[in-house]
Amino acid sequence: MTTQSATATTKPGGESIRFIPVHSTLYPWLVTVFVVTFLISNINATKGVQLGPLITDGAFFLFPLAYIVGDVLSECYGFKSTRRAVYIGFAMAILAALSFYIAIWLPAADFYEGQEAFEATLGLVPQILAASLVGYVVGQLLNSFTLVKMKARSGEKGLIARLVASTVVGEFGDTLLFCAIAAPVIGIDSFSGFLNYVIVGFLWKTACEVIMLPLTTLVISWVKRREDYVPIDEAETSTATQPQ
């Protein structure tokens, strides 16, 4: 990306002021969706949900979106940029949790009657919070690392294969770590129960992402067009054909 110098604006009085230019790129928008989705998922996850025989949490429909956006970031911007987004999400989740705890600790006003409900919804159990954060960081980094490594070997070909493979690796690491850390708190007291929770959670999340693959590939294609992305083989061909 071309580096631009700060822009200067002349005020009515003749004085000049300067601003840092905003580069036209989709990256900050994707990072925003990535981080906000994770934050909302952590809040939604405090509600238990039962759909027939499936017992899950209120974030089951939203959490896969973070991995889909993670795939777009990894495929289009690489591991380093995706890792930066993961770290931003981690930091914002810590900030949100601390803010919730402080707000719960502050004395409620006489007219406020929702203290107990507020605590029940936002008073995240430390062990579950830790499980969510660890699973998120490790899972997203595994997802991005796997996708980028596969792209380095195959180039632009095999997009579907690397999206599926990275999803399997990332979701398994995420689900396994979350369940291992949170198991005592969520009532899992046997190995068979733990194994069932890991397998069901992994299959459910992976299936959601696989179902969304057509949309993911469309978004990736759109972002690449919007960012004027040129594959390395096409760039080399273009350079080789240019007159010397």
Side-chain angles (χ1 to χ4, degrees):
M1 183 163 52
T2 303
T3 302
Q4 300 179 14
S5 59
T7 58
T9 302
T10 303
K11 296 171 63 177
E15 299 176 3
S16 294
I17 53 177
R18 300 179 69 82
F19 300 100
I20 299 174
V22 177
H23 301 287
S24 178
T25 175
L26 295 173
Y27 178 74
W29 293 94
L30 290 168
V31 172
T32 300
V33 174
F34 185 73
V35 172
V36 171
T37 299
F38 178 59
L39 293 178
I40 297 175
S41 296
N42 275 345
I43 298 174
N44 277 20
T46 60
K47 177 179 179 177
V49 173
Q50 184 166 356
L51 301 171
L54 177 65
I55 298 178
T56 181
D57 57 59
F60 78 93
F61 66 94
L62 186 60
F63 192 75
L65 177 60
Y67 271 87
I68 292 172
V69 178
D71 286 340
V72 176
L73 287 170
S74 300
E75 173 68 22
C76 298
Y77 299 97
F79 179 71
K80 183 177 180 180
S81 295
T82 305
R83 182 178 60 191
R84 184 184 302 120
V86 172
Y87 290 162
I88 292 173
F90 179 82
M92 293 303 99
I94 293 292
L95 175 61
L98 290 175
S99 299
F100 295 154
Y101 287 132
I102 292 173
I104 290 171
W105 172 78
L106 291 172
D110 294 337
F111 60 83
Y112 183 69
E113 300 178 355
Q115 180 68 17
E116 292 184 2
F118 188 86
E119 290 183 21
T121 302
L122 299 178
L124 304 175
V125 178
Q127 198 162 342
I128 293 181
L129 176 63
S132 177
L133 291 175
V134 171
Y136 162 79
V137 170
V138 175
Q140 288 288 358
L141 292 180
L142 284 175
N143 180 78
S144 179
F145 182 81
T146 302
L147 191 152
V148 172
K149 281 296 183 181
M150 291 183 67
K151 184 175 182 178
R153 293 183 178 182
S154 63
E156 296 299 311
K157 299 178 180 179
L159 174 61
I160 298 296
R162 60 178 172 268
L163 288 176
V164 173
S166 62
T167 290
V168 169
V169 174
E171 289 289 12
F172 181 75
D174 186 339
T175 307
L176 180 64
L177 287 172
F178 177 85
C179 295
I181 298 173
V185 178
I186 58 182
I188 298 177
D189 54 5
S190 66
F191 180 74
S192 60
F194 171 78
L195 195 61
N196 179 71
Y197 195 87
V198 171
I199 292 174
V200 171
F202 165 70
L203 292 178
W204 173 259
K205 294 176 182 178
T206 302
C208 288
E209 287 197 59
V210 171
I211 291 172
M212 295 297 290
L213 273 177
L215 178 59
T216 305
T217 56
L218 284 175
V219 174
I220 287 174
S221 298
W222 179 76
V223 170
K224 287 181 176 180
R225 290 196 305 270
R226 176 66 173 72
E227 299 283 40
D228 296 326
Y229 171 82
V230 180
I232 189 169
D233 52 347
E234 294 184 15
E236 291 174 348
T237 301
S238 176
T239 301
T241 57
Q242 287 181 359
Q244 300 297 321

